[in-house]
Amino acid sequence: MVPGLSNRMSLCLAPGGVCTKMLRLAFLLILPNLLHPTTAGRWVSLTADNSAYKMANGLGVPITGKNEVIAEVKVCKGAEIQMMEDDTGAGMWSYFKLGGDNNEWSAMASSENCDSNDCHWVDYKYDPVVDCNTFLPFWFSWNAGGVHSVGKGAVVGTDVILTGTLTAFDVNIFQVSNFDAGVTGVWRFLIDEAPFFNSPAPLGDTVVDVSEDASIGETIYTVVGTDDEGDTLTFTLDTHADAFEFAGTALKTLKLLDFETLASYDIIMSMSDGQNTQQARMTVRVTDVVDETPVITLSGTLYIPEEMAVGSVVNNLFDVDDPDKGDTLTYAITEANSALFNIDASSGLLTIASRIDRDQAALTSLTFDLQVTDSNSLQATETVTVNIVDINDNDPVFASTSHTVSVAENTAADTSLLDFTVSDTDDGTNAAYSISIEAGDDVSPKFKVTGNQLQTEANALDYETLAGSSFMYTLTVVAVNDDAIRTGTTTVTIMVTPENEFDPVFDTPAVDATNQFPGDSLSEDVPVNHEIPFTASDADRGVDGDVTFSLVSAVDSDGADASAKFTIDAATGTLKTLELLDSDTATGGVDYFDVTIRIADAGSTPKTAEGTIRLTLSNVNDNLPTFSSSFYSASISEDAAVGDSVEAVAATDNDGDAITYTVEGSWASTFEISGTDVVTKTLLDYASNAFYVITVRADDGTFQTDTLMTASVVQVVAATFLITAKADVEIREEQGEGTVISGVYKTAGNSGSVTYTLEGTNANRLSVDPASGEITYSSERIDRDGGGMTTLADITLKGVDGLGAESTAALSFIVTDINDNAPVATDMAPTIQVQENSANNQQILSLTMSDADDGDNAVITLSIDSGDTDNVFSITNHDLYVNGGSVDYESLPATKTYSLVLLAVDNPTSARAMTSAIRVTVEILGENEFEPSWTSPTPGAGSTFPEVTIKESATLGQTVETFVATDNDGGDDGLITYSVLDIKNPSSISVTGKFVMTTDGRLVVASLLDYDADTGGVDYYIVTVAASDSSSTNVKSTTGNVKVILEDVEVENVIIVSQVEEADESQLWVMRAFVAVLCVGVLVLAGVMLKGIIANASSSPTVSRKVAPTQEMERSISTTPHMSLQSVRMDEEEDQLSWMKNQAASGRLDL
């Protein structure tokens, strides 16, 4: 408090007292010193009016490179401050006016807010800020962000009056002036440069060595600093204030030092002149004194695995520390189990000396004493107990290496067949195992292992399908440790026994739904023991599939028992006749026999089936034909033409056989049979032979009967030799050579025998017998179809009789068609493709058919004979249709085709129809209908699989989980591929390379895993896997997520001890005392200020001012006095000021 101020307080309490102004002045004089002590640094002064701007730079006030100025000003109004980039006026600048008009307002502008017409205030404020009689402190600041500000007091950043953000520029000029003529302002600027260190060196090169046994309070270093203003310097520690302290310029120890705890201190110290602070750095090195006993630290519970190789290093059992750096230690082990280990006396490296077998020797833990001695014979001893960890070094073993069991086919699922006994001399999880079938089962499994029990699966056993494997399964069964490292194997032979499942069935011939065989025909003359074969089969194997035959009955067409006429071989199924058969009614024959046959298997309870076949007897020629007369007599004129009838004959046959008549003997060349008539075959000559005895024969195809006919020739007067031919005789194409053509011509009037020849272009097509004149087909082919030969002409028959007379006749023929060509298609083996699930009744093939024949012989009917196993195809005319919606690619056999046989049949009126087969291959194209679906493991909600756990020590390629997916599509659309889509760690960050999928769906380890957080490990991964089909056009996929949890594998135990520095309580109390004193001072000062303000306010008249809607403010900013600028207008509605073009003559703004 200013001396004497308390004695005047009572005068100041009275409003309007004479001391009010004195107290106010004293308050303003004291306040700057209290808020911003001026004991540090020095002050420089200048006086400014409106004649020119004056630069603070010229007084030594540092501006360039700084960002603030502390100043005090005593002025009544209109103080102007300009901060400039340069002194030319061309650079950027900012401008402040404090106490405009009558100390009523303050405002801020800048060069970038002005143009040739006007300027705009950046900021403004209505408030008196300066005083005519008192220096008031202000701060000015600018920064790299372009923020320019001014505020009250000496603490930069507090009590801001004006501020604005401009385009940043470097402030190099700080100058002041006064706007109002006749008004002078006195400015004082604070110059306070920072002190500097002489020692230690500011760059931290100074190093001081201090022994660790130095006493508390010992001076280790003396600092030296310099301040140009001569300010008092104080020193403080910024680091390690818990270990050292300053007493003036002396740096002393505050506690005992310990080389083993901290061997070096990086000291950062500060030097302050009250306004500015500088830092320096130095290093205090603590020198060592040997005085510590070695410390043995055991690693918690100690473990080593059994069966470590002799010489293997044993790590992580203990840690030895000697706080004395560089001390020499000697190691030794003693006590019972020490012989199992070796220890290097110098390094302390512990190794295995002999085999440690936990399983056979029952060594679960070992104990020895560890002794460590330093160079001063200080010794530490610890008893080390090592737990021996079981390793999986023994395979699971089945009680028997092989087993044999039997099971009947069709045994129910889950039936127990065998209980396995397995042992493992390891311990704990290393002895845990699971049993599974490794090989020998079907693709559709027939067996499973549940626990230790071998059971049947839901897929039924079928004895009949096992012929290739001797009706047994040979399973390889394995017991695998849970870590999949060790495996034991046994062999199980399963003998499958049959059941009599199936009825015997007839194979050839087959029976219909009414147990009837297709009818068969027997000739009545078949010999005794004539064989009719039957075959049958039974789908069972063994004796259940052995079939025997027996005769049930035989009944003839008259209903009589005919069992005596037949017998059947029980083994071969051959039916034999025992008697001659007869179908002739006249001899007591019958039309047919119904024979019933039974087949039976050899099961313990035989299964049987029966079938009946009708054997229809066909008649054979077993009776002689009989002529109606035993002798015939006739006469004929010698001029009868060839073919004239001599006499008709008649014969009958009890068999009803067709009878063929012929002329036999020496006159067969003169006479022949036409129908039942004996006719002339040549011309007769009374003179040569007037009487003939002719032998006529009746032939039923087997038997012949002869009779005699006499023919007398009646003489006639001779006539002219003449050959008369019939026009357009019909002949059939494609007849064999020598086939006779009858009724072509007649010969008359010849004398003696006639010699015949053929002439003409087509004479080679036919042949004529020179003597008889019989015309036959020659070897030259007559082809109506291929050769287009519908007629045959240009053939002349020439005859010369015995007297040399000649006669000719032109022959002409019509060639008729026979059905001798089968229908054909332009493509007899087409291949077409059909998409499954396509449209119904779609035409997929149109066949172009042809038949070289003519008429009905060339009319073609097309039908499906075979191959339409699913009844999806149809024929309309010659077009093939399919119901595509009923075609299912997946249900078809492996070839995915239909092999259709289409029959093309022509339609002759009477002849045998001709048939050809067209083989159509229909390739079915699959459609990718189905998405893959997971079958194992079963995913849960959100396609999430059950979690799996794997040790962090898992080897590369080790299986984490096996995934199985199926796709109901066939072909490539149903082939599954597996992949890993994403791997995320617990932070949901994708990682790569940790796992991969194999082609068989196994998720395997692809890189080393790590559980430990201190080495960057994680405790789990979320792996997204995908199963995709192999479609070439429309790949479908399904995905799932599996959480792979890593199981920690302890490799060492680490104890981390945190070090926490304690705060210096003495420093806290100093700070608290300082804050308390400062608060009391502020309260006293605030009371004095308040009373002075109340007193002053009580004695001053009330001033009322009306503020016009628009106020004008004028300023002058220039590097030379009174360089005129435009006036500024401030609009209240827009809260904006602009310069006016015409400045008021008075230089003041109207209120």
Side-chain angles (χ1 to χ4, degrees):
M1 183 174 290
V2 178
L5 182 59
S6 60
N7 297 329
R8 300 170 187 164
M9 266 189 186
S10 58
L11 299 176
C12 295
L13 295 176
V18 294
C19 296
T20 300
K21 291 184 179 180
M22 293 176 65
L23 289 173
R24 182 168 177 262
L25 177 60
F27 173 75
L28 294 174
L29 288 173
I30 294 170
L31 179 61
N33 290 327
L34 291 173
L35 295 179
H36 190 80
T38 58
T39 56
R42 58 192 176 88
W43 293 84
V44 294
S45 302
L46 63 79
T47 301
D49 55 22
N50 74 334
S51 62
Y53 276 95
K54 293 185 178 181
M55 292 192 297
N57 305 56
L59 301 176
V61 178
I63 300 299
T64 301
K66 302 293 184 178
N67 58 11
E68 63 181 43
V69 169
I70 305 296
E72 297 175 342
V73 64
K74 180 172 66 175
V75 68
C76 293
K77 60 181 179 179
E80 294 182 310
I81 304 92
Q82 196 170 15
M83 295 183 288
M84 305 178 66
E85 189 174 13
D86 56 47
D87 59 0
T88 65
M92 298 184 66
W93 49 262
S94 61
Y95 167 83
F96 297 93
K97 177 181 279 190
L98 301 178
D101 288 346
N102 289 322
N103 193 20
E104 298 168 356
W105 53 270
S106 301
M108 172 185 176
S110 73
S111 56
E112 65 184 1
N113 297 104
C114 297
D115 55 28
S116 59
N117 295 319
D118 56 18
C119 291
H120 300 281
W121 291 124
V122 177
D123 195 8
Y124 61 89
K125 186 173 184 180
Y126 287 104
D127 196 17
V129 294
V130 296
D131 191 283
C132 295
N133 303 310
T134 305
F135 281 98
L136 296 181
F138 295 91
W139 56 265
F140 301 88
S141 69
W142 59 94
N143 61 28
V147 179
H148 288 227
S149 306
V150 61
K152 298 177 182 179
V155 180
V156 178
T158 62
D159 203 358
V160 178
I161 302 172
L162 301 170
T163 187
T165 300
L166 317 176
T167 300
F169 64 89
D170 293 331
V171 175
N172 296 305
I173 305 296
F174 190 96
Q175 57 187 14
V176 296
S177 182
N178 200 282
F179 177 77
D180 299 287
V183 177
T184 300
V186 181
W187 289 83
R188 298 197 304 197
F189 296 93
L190 176 64
I191 300 175
D192 190 6
E193 294 291 343
F196 63 91
F197 277 98
N198 300 104
S199 64
L203 298 180
D205 298 332
T206 302
V207 178
V208 176
D209 290 328
V210 181
S211 174
E212 69 172 322
D213 58 359
S215 59
I216 296 175
E218 182 175 333
T219 298
I220 64 171
Y221 191 75
T222 301
V223 299
V224 178
T226 302
D227 186 83
D228 289 343
E229 288 79 34
D231 295 331
T232 300
L233 300 179
T234 57
F235 300 90
T236 57
L237 285 172
D238 299 322
T239 61
H240 300 296
D242 61 326
F244 306 96
E245 65 179 351
F246 272 108
T249 60
L251 181 62
K252 298 186 176 185
T253 58
L254 188 60
K255 66 177 183 179
L256 293 176
L257 304 180
D258 184 14
F259 174 84
E260 287 73 26
T261 302
L262 185 61
S264 179
Y265 293 85
D266 185 12
I267 302 295
I268 299 176
M269 61 185 69
S270 293
M271 176 175 60
S272 175
D273 63 1
Q275 177 66 25
N276 302 288
T277 300
Q278 286 285 16
Q279 283 187 325
R281 183 187 297 269
M282 65 180 288
T283 300
V284 176
R285 294 187 304 201
V286 181
T287 58
D288 188 26
V289 175
V290 176
D291 56 355
E292 301 288 343
T293 300
V295 177
I296 301 174
T297 303
L298 300 183
S299 301
T301 303
L302 310 180
Y303 296 93
I304 63 170
E306 64 171 330
E307 300 290 1
M308 292 181 68
V310 173
S312 297
V313 176
V314 180
N315 290 318
N316 306 316
L317 294 184
F318 56 84
D319 186 30
V320 177
D321 181 39
D322 189 336
D324 295 319
K325 302 302 180 183
D327 199 0
T328 300
L329 301 179
T330 302
Y331 299 84
I333 57 174
T334 61
E335 297 306 323
N337 299 125
S338 60
L340 296 175
F341 300 93
N342 288 327
I343 191 165
D344 187 284
S346 299
S347 66
L349 184 68
L350 188 67
T351 58
I352 300 296
S354 61
R355 181 186 179 192
I356 300 174
D357 184 3
R358 186 183 191 278
D359 305 318
Q360 302 300 323
L363 293 175
T364 59
S365 66
L366 301 173
T367 300
F368 61 86
D369 286 344
L370 172 65
Q371 295 177 348
V372 181
T373 307
D374 68 6
S375 59
N376 285 337
S377 299
L378 296 175
Q379 187 179 83
T381 301
E382 285 288 346
T383 298
V384 180
T385 299
V386 182
N387 292 304
I388 307 304
V389 178
D390 181 62
I391 65 171
N392 193 3
D393 57 342
N394 293 285
D395 293 330
V397 177
F398 285 90
S400 176
T401 58
S402 64
H403 304 77
T404 300
V405 296
S406 63
V407 59
E409 66 173 328
N410 300 317
T411 295
D414 301 326
T415 299
S416 176
L417 305 180
L418 177 65
D419 289 322
F420 295 108
T421 300
V422 180
S423 61
D424 190 319
T425 56
D426 289 314
D427 191 26
T429 57
N430 290 332
Y433 61 85
S434 59
I435 302 176
S436 62
I437 298 171
E438 184 178 64
D441 204 349
D442 288 339
V443 175
S444 298
K446 301 300 187 297
F447 307 98
K448 63 182 179 181
V449 176
T450 302
N452 281 32
Q453 192 172 80
L454 179 65
Q455 298 177 338
T456 54
E457 263 285 12
N459 301 310
L461 291 167
D462 186 7
Y463 177 87
E464 285 69 32
T465 63
L466 298 176
S469 60
S470 301
F471 306 101
M472 66 182 179
Y473 290 89
T474 301
L475 304 183
T476 300
V477 179
V478 295
V480 181
N481 285 145
D482 287 354
D483 58 7
I485 295 176
R486 293 288 180 171
T487 302
T489 304
T490 188
T491 300
V492 181
T493 300
I494 302 176
M495 310 299 297
V496 180
T497 58
E499 286 187 337
N500 193 3
E501 303 173 85
F502 304 103
D503 292 329
V505 294
F506 288 100
D507 294 329
T508 56
V511 296
D512 61 16
T514 61
N515 295 322
Q516 299 295 314
F517 293 105
D520 197 3
S521 176
L522 283 181
S523 175
E524 67 173 333
D525 65 345
V526 295
V528 174
N529 290 325
H530 174 75
E531 297 181 352
I532 303 172
F534 289 85
T535 62
S537 61
D538 190 312
D540 289 306
R541 289 279 182 172
V543 296
D544 293 335
D546 294 338
V547 179
T548 58
F549 298 82
S550 62
L551 187 66
V552 177
S553 64
V555 179
D556 65 23
S557 56
D558 293 333
D561 180 18
S563 300
K565 296 183 181 296
F566 301 95
T567 185
I568 192 166
D569 189 295
T572 66
T574 301
L575 182 68
K576 295 182 180 180
T577 58
L578 296 177
E579 299 177 357
L580 294 176
L581 306 179
D582 185 11
S583 68
D584 301 322
T585 304
T587 57
V590 295
D591 293 333
Y592 59 84
F593 297 97
D594 285 336
V595 180
T596 299
I597 299 168
R598 176 179 295 145
I599 52 177
D601 62 27
S604 57
T605 303
K607 294 188 176 184
T608 63
E610 293 183 356
T612 300
I613 186 170
R614 174 164 289 184
L615 300 176
T616 301
L617 298 182
S618 59
N619 188 35
V620 296
N621 193 356
D622 57 352
N623 292 288
L624 295 173
T626 302
F627 281 100
S628 58
S629 175
S630 60
F631 179 81
Y632 293 91
S633 176
S635 63
I636 185 171
S637 174
E638 71 171 327
D639 64 354
V642 173
D644 284 351
S645 176
V646 177
E647 181 67 64
V649 295
T652 59
D653 192 306
N654 289 335
D655 295 314
D657 297 326
I659 299 174
T660 302
Y661 299 95
T662 58
V663 175
E664 301 294 325
S666 58
W667 301 119
S669 61
T670 305
F671 300 95
E672 63 182 353
I673 298 297
S674 177
T676 59
D677 290 344
V678 176
V679 298
T680 60
K681 190 176 182 180
T682 63
L683 296 177
L684 301 178
D685 181 14
Y686 178 84
S688 299
N689 197 346
F691 183 80
Y692 296 89
V693 178
I694 304 168
T695 301
V696 180
R697 178 171 292 171
D699 189 338
D700 63 5
T702 301
F703 301 103
Q704 300 89 30
T705 301
D706 293 340
T707 190
L708 297 178
M709 176 184 289
T710 59
S712 299
V713 179
V714 179
Q715 186 179 17
V716 295
V717 178
T720 304
F721 178 35
L722 179 65
I723 298 175
T724 304
K726 184 178 179 182
D728 296 330
V729 175
E730 289 188 354
I731 62 173
R732 302 177 72 185
E733 65 169 337
E734 301 288 8
Q735 300 301 302
E737 181 181 4
T739 302
V740 177
I741 304 174
S742 302
V744 178
Y745 69 93
K746 288 185 178 182
T747 301
N750 59 298
S751 297
S753 61
V754 178
T755 301
Y756 297 91
T757 59
L758 292 176
E759 300 175 346
T761 304
N762 290 318
N764 63 332
R765 301 280 182 181
L766 301 175
S767 297
V768 64
D769 187 287
S772 68
E774 184 180 72
I775 297 175
T776 61
Y777 288 85
S778 73
S779 62
E780 290 293 322
R781 182 182 179 192
I782 299 176
D783 183 9
R784 187 181 191 280
D785 307 317
M789 190 178 294
T790 58
T791 62
L792 185 63
D794 196 14
I795 301 175
T796 301
L797 176 65
K798 179 181 179 180
V800 178
D801 67 6
L803 300 178
E806 295 183 358
S807 179
T808 61
L811 307 182
S812 62
F813 301 93
I814 301 296
V815 181
T816 61
D817 183 56
I818 67 172
N819 192 20
D820 60 337
N821 293 284
V824 294
T826 54
D827 187 352
M828 296 297 287
T831 298
I832 54 178
Q833 294 181 331
V834 174
Q835 180 79 41
E836 70 167 330
N837 301 321
S838 56
N840 286 333
N841 200 32
Q842 59 172 309
Q843 180 182 330
I844 58 174
L845 179 64
S846 181
L847 292 170
T848 301
M849 305 296 301
S850 62
D851 190 316
D853 292 317
D854 191 25
D856 290 342
N857 294 335
V859 175
I860 302 169
T861 300
L862 194 63
S863 63
I864 299 173
D865 180 66
S866 65
D868 186 8
T869 55
D870 296 317
N871 196 28
V872 295
F873 298 94
S874 61
I875 294 286
T876 300
N877 296 325
H878 297 162
D879 298 327
L880 179 63
Y881 291 80
V882 66
N883 287 331
S886 300
V887 176
D888 184 11
Y889 178 87
E890 286 71 24
S891 65
L892 292 175
T895 59
K896 305 301 180 185
T897 59
Y898 289 92
S899 297
L900 303 181
V901 177
L902 308 185
L903 290 185
V905 182
D906 56 22
N907 293 272
T909 303
S910 58
R912 181 179 62 85
M914 301 289 286
T915 302
S916 62
I918 303 167
R919 302 185 183 279
V920 180
T921 300
V922 183
E923 297 177 349
I924 303 304
L925 304 179
E927 178 183 358
N928 196 4
E929 307 169 82
F930 306 101
E931 289 185 351
S933 62
W934 298 108
T935 59
S936 176
T938 304
S943 297
T944 298
F945 296 107
E947 298 175 351
V948 295
T949 300
I950 186 170
K951 297 181 184 294
E952 67 170 336
S953 60
T955 57
L956 298 184
Q958 182 172 329
T959 299
V960 178
E961 179 62 283
T962 299
F963 296 87
V964 180
T966 59
D967 191 316
N968 291 330
D969 289 305
D972 288 346
D973 294 339
L975 296 179
I976 302 297
T977 60
Y978 301 87
S979 60
V980 174
L981 295 184
D982 191 20
I983 304 171
K984 283 187 168 59
N985 62 22
S987 300
S988 296
I989 296 174
S990 294
V991 298
T992 59
K994 291 298 181 184
F995 307 95
V996 296
M997 292 287 282
T998 63
T999 56
D1000 58 355
R1002 291 183 298 113
L1003 180 67
V1004 300
V1005 177
S1007 65
L1008 296 179
L1009 305 177
D1010 186 10
Y1011 174 89
D1012 307 296
D1014 55 352
T1015 56
V1018 297
D1019 54 354
Y1020 69 88
Y1021 292 95
I1022 301 298
V1023 182
T1024 302
V1025 297
S1028 307
D1029 60 30
S1030 301
S1031 172
S1032 59
T1033 58
N1034 179 27
V1035 176
K1036 294 185 177 181
S1037 301
T1038 185
T1039 62
N1041 297 319
V1042 60
K1043 184 174 185 180
V1044 180
I1045 299 173
L1046 302 189
E1047 182 178 334
D1048 186 26
V1049 177
E1050 290 294 334
V1051 296
E1052 65 178 351
N1053 296 300
V1054 180
I1055 301 175
I1056 300 175
V1057 179
S1058 301
Q1059 295 183 351
V1060 179
E1061 295 186 2
E1062 296 183 358
D1064 190 335
E1065 190 65 24
S1066 63
Q1067 290 182 329
L1068 294 177
W1069 280 110
V1070 171
M1071 292 173 63
R1072 292 168 184 159
F1074 175 74
V1075 172
V1077 172
L1078 180 60
C1079 291
V1080 171
V1082 171
L1083 291 173
V1084 172
L1085 179 60
V1088 173
M1089 291 173 61
L1090 181 59
K1091 290 183 179 180
I1093 292 170
I1094 293 173
N1096 190 37
S1098 301
S1099 61
S1100 301
T1102 303
V1103 178
S1104 175
R1105 178 187 299 120
K1106 179 179 180 182
V1107 181
T1110 301
Q1111 297 181 346
E1112 296 179 352
M1113 304 176 183
E1114 185 179 53
R1115 70 169 173 98
S1116 177
I1117 307 172
S1118 176
T1119 58
T1120 61
H1122 298 289
M1123 180 181 289
S1124 177
L1125 295 177
Q1126 296 171 329
S1127 61
V1128 177
R1129 175 180 298 272
M1130 182 177 72
D1131 185 86
E1132 282 190 336
E1133 291 182 357
E1134 298 182 359
D1135 196 20
Q1136 176 178 317
L1137 299 176
S1138 66
W1139 292 102
M1140 297 182 64
K1141 292 182 179 181
N1142 299 316
Q1143 187 170 328
S1146 62
R1148 291 179 57 85
L1149 296 176
D1150 295 333
L1151 298 176

